[in-house]
Amino acid sequence: MSDKQALIQVRDLTKHFVGVHALNGVSTDIQRGEVIFIVGPSGSGKSTFLRCLNRLEEPSSGQIIFNGVNLMDPKTDMNKHRQKMGMVFQHFNLFPHMTVLKNMTIAPVKLQGKPEAEAQKEAMALLERVGLADRAEAYPRQLSGGQKQRIAIVRALCMKPEVMLFDEPTSALDPEMVGEVLKVMRELAQEHMTMVVVTHEMSFAREVADRILFMADGKIVEEHGPKEFFEHPESERLKQFLSKIL
């Protein structure tokens, strides 16, 4: 596909912390509607790369072009562009003092100027979709981990983002709660939401991904479709990784 069709273009992205090269020249394109999974050993740069895409982590150098806009340009309004990039974290990040419904409507109302009634109607439709409409007036402390993460996903969807970024969304959950979160993500993938997912859920990646990136030592070592990725790894590094986790 041509660069013109890519929703996100990443060119030679680097990130250096003190004494650590977290990203070493990462380049890739993410097409609109594509579901990308990023896997690799701990410390390989996966989460750093994801957080650099919306500059929650400030890259050291390189380019990130989102929908034709250079996010590394100092003149770019990053707050505006972050509204188009939904982010779901490992630990939910819900406001504890607000109800579920308020957690979901505060950003559309305050940042997008949406009328409260309209924001509530859209939020309730999303809660209905994930089976949590009856929890609209509950507070986060009254929810299970799986419920909190489903709320975090639909809260991000309330902003009508162009891409959803998931940073290990199931790793803090009890095993029996993982399935309910993956079900929501699976439905988003089926609807062709552009998604970039850092995860250790290999069977889910095999099932849902259009393309899987394997990162090690701050670089993309290999990237393939799921069948090729799991059945015909090329590099020794990926072969070692798969032998330990499959």
Side-chain angles (χ1 to χ4, degrees), residues 175-188:
E176 66 267 23
M177 295 176 183
V178 169
E180 58 198 46
V181 174
L182 296 186
K183 179 175 181 285
V184 177
M185 295 174 67
R186 186 180 290 110
E187 289 171 359
L188 288 176

Side-chain angles (χ1 to χ4, degrees), residues 7 18-19 36 80 110 112 218:
L7 179 62
V18 177
I36 303 290
K80 174 183 166 188
K110 294 231 184 261
Q112 295 179 331

Side-chain angles (χ1 to χ4, degrees), residues 3 26 37 42 48 56 61 77 82 96 110 113 115 125 130 137 141 146 165 171 176-177 212 233:
D3 278 357
V26 173
F37 277 66
S42 296
T48 300
L56 281 180
S61 65
D77 181 350
R82 283 193 190 106
K110 294 231 184 261
V130 298
E137 296 304 322
R141 68 178 178 275
L165 309 176
S171 62
E176 66 267 23
M177 295 176 183
I212 304 174

Side-chain angles (χ1 to χ4, degrees), residues 26-177:
V26 173
S27 297
T28 192
D29 285 354
I30 297 164
Q31 308 296 335
R32 190 179 295 277
E34 193 173 24
V35 179
I36 303 290
F37 277 66
I38 305 173
V39 304
S42 296
S44 59
K46 307 182 299 293
S47 291
T48 300
F49 172 62
L50 193 76
R51 293 168 69 88
C52 280
L53 289 180
N54 61 3
R55 282 181 52 198
L56 281 180
E57 198 72 70
E58 197 60 46
S60 301
S61 65
Q63 279 202 322
I64 303 166
I65 311 295
F66 175 54
N67 223 357
V69 176
N70 182 2
L71 299 189
M72 297 300 289
D73 186 331
K75 297 191 288 289
T76 296
D77 181 350
M78 273 311 301
N79 288 329
K80 174 183 166 188
H81 286 283
R82 283 193 190 106
Q83 292 179 32
K84 302 173 188 175
M85 304 172 97
M87 184 99 188
V88 178
F89 300 90
Q90 189 174 338
H91 291 292
F92 326 127
N93 289 20
L94 299 174
F95 296 115
H97 61 291
M98 294 182 185
T99 64
V100 163
L101 190 60
K102 190 67 176 177
N103 261 285
M104 293 177 68
T105 58
I106 186 168
V109 170
K110 294 231 184 261
L111 298 178
Q112 295 179 331
K114 192 168 282 190
E116 184 89 37
E118 183 184 342
Q120 287 187 358
K121 182 179 177 183
E122 291 178 0
M124 286 305 299
L126 285 166
L127 285 173
E128 190 78 47
R129 170 179 168 169
V130 298
L132 291 172
D134 61 330
R135 310 301 282 155
E137 296 304 322
Y139 287 86
R141 68 178 178 275
Q142 298 169 303
L143 305 175
S144 70
Q147 289 173 328
K148 288 177 188 173
Q149 196 60 294
R150 280 184 282 163
I151 298 296
I153 292 171
V154 290
R155 176 181 64 174
L157 292 175
C158 280
M159 296 294 285
K160 295 185 164 50
E162 293 185 45
V163 59
M164 287 284 285
L165 309 176
F166 293 88
D167 190 5
E168 300 195 22
T170 60
S171 62
L173 300 179
D174 293 334
E176 66 267 23
M177 295 176 183

Side-chain angles (χ1 to χ4, degrees), residues 214 221-222 229 231-246:
F214 172 64
V221 178
E222 278 192 56
F229 184 88
E231 295 180 13
H232 305 289
E234 295 170 4
S235 67
E236 281 306 314
R237 192 70 187 82
L238 178 52
K239 289 175 185 175
Q240 288 171 7
F241 176 75
L242 292 176
S243 72
K244 289 176 183 171
I245 60 163
L246 294 181

